[in-house]
Amino acid sequence: MTGNRILDELPPSGQRSLQKLLASLSLGSEVLTPGERNTHVLFPTTALCSLIVELESGDKAESATVGSDGFVGVPVVLGASLSDVRGVVEVAGEAYRLPVKTVLDLCRENDAFRRALFGYSAFRLHLATRTLACNSFHSILQRMARWLLFLQDRVGRSDFRLTHERLSAMLAATRPRVSQAAARLKGDG
């Protein structure tokens, strides 16, 4: 087992061949840059990555959180070559870093892997629409609780380092609102 749900769909021999592609990702490191060509697809095992949309105004909002259940590179699988988001490591850990050609070859060679890639891509689209609704109708407190629980599910633990500044970008909220919500959640236990 690789530790990534998508890569675990590959046969054991395919999983073993990927071991040399396991990389350590440090907190805050950038794994995608808007406007740059996607050369690799990341399959987190213990790391967690945020995909962040940056507007011309400088405002930022998280569009997705990717952990061991998925991969960073959905546009590549769907045929796009340029990134339109910034990918940042939110929780340090490990991820398999596969060249795009390798992922596309594996997709052609293995039906279960291809189904897992496309299934996750569909899930991400569904989740994006749910997140839009949540950000439109839920309070900052509800959004923060949802995001923290989502993060806990992805990394499998409840201890992680996050600054209020990072949380404000993830939740598309001001830092003071994030601080107030965090204090309330902490007070509520």
Side-chain angles (χ1 to χ4, degrees), residues 113-175:
F113 180 69
R114 183 177 60 253
R115 282 192 305 275
L117 285 174
F118 284 111
Y120 180 76
S121 299
F123 165 74
R124 280 272 303 282
L125 180 58
H126 168 76
L127 195 56
T129 59
R130 301 294 296 182
T131 299
L132 174 65
C134 177
N135 287 348
S136 298
F137 299 111
H138 295 148
S139 71
I140 184 67
L141 189 67
Q142 292 168 314
R143 290 173 18 221
M144 182 182 287
R146 176 187 172 274
W147 195 85
L148 290 171
L149 289 170
F150 195 78
L151 177 63
Q152 183 180 19
D153 286 347
R154 295 297 178 281
V155 298
R157 60 183 199 267
S158 58
D159 62 319
F160 29 80
R161 291 182 37 201
L162 292 171
T163 65
H164 289 201
E165 183 178 340
R166 281 215 187 273
L167 275 172
S168 69
M170 300 310 103
L171 299 171
T174 64
R175 193 172 180 277

Side-chain angles (χ1 to χ4, degrees), residues 12 23 29 68 70 86 119 127 134 143 171 181 184-185:
S29 62
S68 62
R86 185 170 309 281
L127 195 56
C134 177
R143 290 173 18 221
L171 299 171
R184 178 141 177 232
L185 284 175

Side-chain angles (χ1 to χ4, degrees), residues 5 8 29 40 43 47 60 73 81-83 87 91 119 138-139 166 171 181 189:
R5 189 180 65 83
D8 286 347
S29 62
H40 291 81
F43 295 85
K60 300 173 187 176
S81 61
L82 295 179
S83 176
V91 176
H138 295 148
S139 71
R166 281 215 187 273
L171 299 171

Side-chain angles (χ1 to χ4, degrees), residues 80-113:
S81 61
L82 295 179
S83 176
D84 61 347
V85 297
R86 185 170 309 281
V88 178
V89 177
E90 291 298 333
V91 176
E94 294 183 328
Y96 288 90
R97 188 171 183 263
L98 279 64
V100 168
K101 183 183 180 328
T102 300
V103 173
L104 297 177
D105 288 347
L106 288 169
C107 192
R108 281 188 286 277
E109 296 165 5
N110 188 289
D111 288 337
F113 180 69

Side-chain angles (χ1 to χ4, degrees), residues 23-40 42 47-54 60 72 83-92 95 97 166:
S24 291
L25 303 177
S26 58
L27 176 67
S29 62
E30 191 170 286
V31 295
L32 282 178
T33 304
E36 288 190 5
R37 184 167 300 284
N38 293 311
T39 59
H40 291 81
L42 285 179
L48 185 98
C49 300
S50 287
L51 304 182
I52 302 167
V53 175
E54 298 174 346
K60 300 173 187 176
V72 175
S83 176
D84 61 347
V85 297
R86 185 170 309 281
V88 178
V89 177
E90 291 298 333
V91 176
R97 188 171 183 263
R166 281 215 187 273

